[in-house]
Amino acid sequence: MEAKTEFGLSRFSRPQIQMDTNSRKARNQDTNPCVEESDASRKCLDAYNYDKSMCSAYFQRYKNCRTYWHNIMVQRRKNGVKPEMPSAAERLEMLSALGGKPY
């Protein structure tokens, strides 16, 4: 029988609750602008049996996406714009004005 903590959870179930929260945060389009690139990288790894050398283009695209949106966040922070990360709808407008993804 598992030992219960003061919250009524087993000591093994607490990290999973934290992982679920982190997973939801990573999948949220408003907080993570690079969900599409992340999914593409993961699918590539699945397709090539986790041979990272076959997915370097996907990894680079994800890295470029993160760098691009990080720079946008820094600029907005300097300009005092809140929220620092544009919402998914704002990002879509920004990308369409640029004619597509610049990364």
Side-chain angles (χ1 to χ4, degrees):
M1 183 168 190
E2 292 183 45
K4 300 287 182 181
T5 65
E6 64 182 308
F7 301 108
L9 301 171
S10 72
R11 61 189 167 124
F12 300 108
S13 63
R14 291 182 85 174
Q16 186 164 354
I17 292 170
Q18 184 64 33
M19 273 181 59
D20 289 344
T21 302
N22 289 337
S23 295
R24 276 186 301 229
K25 195 177 198 180
R27 301 291 311 154
N28 185 346
Q29 289 280 348
D30 279 330
T31 57
N32 182 2
C34 301
V35 171
E36 185 179 322
E37 288 77 7
S38 174
D39 288 347
S41 296
R42 194 168 295 120
K43 284 179 185 177
C44 179
L45 286 172
D46 288 341
Y48 289 105
N49 201 23
Y50 290 83
D51 181 1
K52 293 178 182 176
S53 65
M54 299 297 289
C55 301
S56 59
Y58 290 96
F59 298 151
Q60 189 61 48
R61 185 173 173 135
Y62 175 76
K63 185 177 178 180
N64 292 345
C65 176
R66 295 296 296 181
T67 302
Y68 178 80
W69 290 110
H70 174 76
N71 291 337
I72 296 289
M73 254 179 45
V74 168
Q75 191 61 44
R76 286 171 63 107
R77 189 178 303 138
K78 283 180 183 177
N79 295 340
V81 178
K82 295 284 183 177
E84 293 166 358
M85 176 59 74
S87 68
E90 274 185 280
R91 289 194 306 266
L92 192 57
E93 288 177 26
M94 292 168 74
L95 291 175
S96 64
L98 292 172
K101 295 179 179 179
Y103 42 87

